[in-house]
Amino acid sequence: MSSIRRVRLSPDARREQLLKLGVQMLATRTLDELSVEDLAEEAGISRGLLFHYFRNKQEFHREVVLRAAQQLLKRTDPNPELAPMEQLNRTLENYLDYVTENYSSYSYLIRGSATANVELRQIIEDTRSEMARRVSDNLHLLGLPDDDLSRLAIRGWLAFTEQVAVQWVPDQKVPRERILQMFASSLPALILASHEPQEP
């Protein structure tokens, strides 16, 4: 056992350590595969002590998913110092990198495997809503209209990027640059197409 594991931590520090370990382990496995026993062994504590920091396995899973969602949002936070299109491109690069690095857990969550759990479903929905809000808030920088129709288009675009990302990561037959180009070009194209005048 490493010297790090032998250090006595405060309750807050131990809880933070367990969440960090949980998120790290979640990167390579689904939530169902996130074993309390494996986590306790990795942290150097007993299984019973884990439940001193979390009431039950469900609460621990919820907190891990919430932390992973927060990391995704932080990773994809737009940089206002960049030009509008460069800002969008950088955000999409960071998003695709995140999905690649956390493929097992990300695909498990967004494909609906966790949606039987109301709390997890809400975390996923809140994350999508925040990402949609960020795009909507920056539409004016791209010269695009910000209205109800555009917001619907953004939600559809986000669903599109999610599905393309989880389909692309396993074999990556298409060059990464082409995927990113498709993501970036499809957003304005979709919004502009949705605002074309209707034929009489």
Side-chain angles (χ1 to χ4, degrees):
M1 188 176 298
S2 70
S3 59
I4 293 177
R5 296 182 193 173
R6 290 195 295 268
V7 173
R8 181 179 293 277
L9 299 175
S10 69
D12 288 345
R14 178 67 75 184
R15 191 175 192 277
E16 181 65 21
Q17 178 205 31
L18 293 170
L19 284 174
K20 285 183 178 179
L21 283 173
V23 172
Q24 290 172 9
M25 294 170 71
L26 192 63
T28 56
R29 65 194 78 190
T30 69
L31 200 62
D32 290 339
E33 296 167 341
L34 186 55
S35 163
V36 170
E37 289 77 11
D38 289 346
L39 181 79
E41 180 180 356
E42 184 69 21
I45 64 174
S46 68
R47 183 182 186 278
L49 187 57
L50 176 68
F51 297 114
H52 177 73
Y53 304 99
F54 303 95
R55 287 175 297 179
N56 49 47
K57 181 178 180 180
Q58 290 71 32
E59 181 186 28
F60 175 68
H61 280 177
R62 183 184 69 248
E63 292 300 314
V64 168
V65 170
L66 179 59
R67 180 62 61 88
Q70 291 169 342
Q71 289 184 356
L72 171 61
L73 291 175
K74 182 178 180 179
R75 186 88 170 262
T76 58
D77 195 14
N79 183 352
E81 297 181 359
L82 299 177
M85 279 307 299
E86 186 180 357
Q87 185 180 135
L88 176 62
N89 289 331
R90 183 69 57 81
T91 296
L92 290 169
E93 289 174 7
N94 291 337
Y95 166 74
L96 195 57
D97 287 343
Y98 179 91
V99 177
T100 302
E101 295 164 13
N102 300 274
Y103 180 75
S104 293
S105 58
Y106 185 84
S107 59
Y108 168 85
L109 292 170
I110 71 105
R111 281 177 165 165
S113 301
T115 54
N117 184 306
V118 175
E119 292 180 324
L120 298 186
R121 186 166 67 241
Q122 189 61 53
I123 293 172
I124 296 166
E125 177 56 28
D126 289 346
T127 304
R128 286 173 173 149
S129 294
E130 175 59 17
M131 295 179 78
R133 184 198 63 77
R134 290 175 175 179
V135 175
S136 178
D137 285 351
N138 287 284
L139 285 179
H140 67 284
L141 299 176
L142 298 170
L144 297 170
D146 179 13
D147 55 20
D148 290 340
L149 186 56
S150 291
R151 294 184 195 101
L152 284 173
I154 289 168
R155 290 304 297 252
W157 177 75
L158 286 173
F160 163 74
T161 59
E162 286 179 353
Q163 291 302 318
V164 170
V166 297
Q167 291 290 331
W168 174 78
V169 168
D171 53 43
Q172 301 186 25
K173 292 180 180 179
V174 178
R176 178 175 179 271
E177 292 72 21
R178 295 304 298 271
I179 298 297
L180 291 170
Q181 181 186 33
M182 179 169 61
F183 285 166
S185 61
S186 59
L187 174 62
L190 179 60
I191 291 178
L192 290 173
S194 68
H195 285 79
E196 288 181 355
Q198 291 183 319
E199 296 183 2

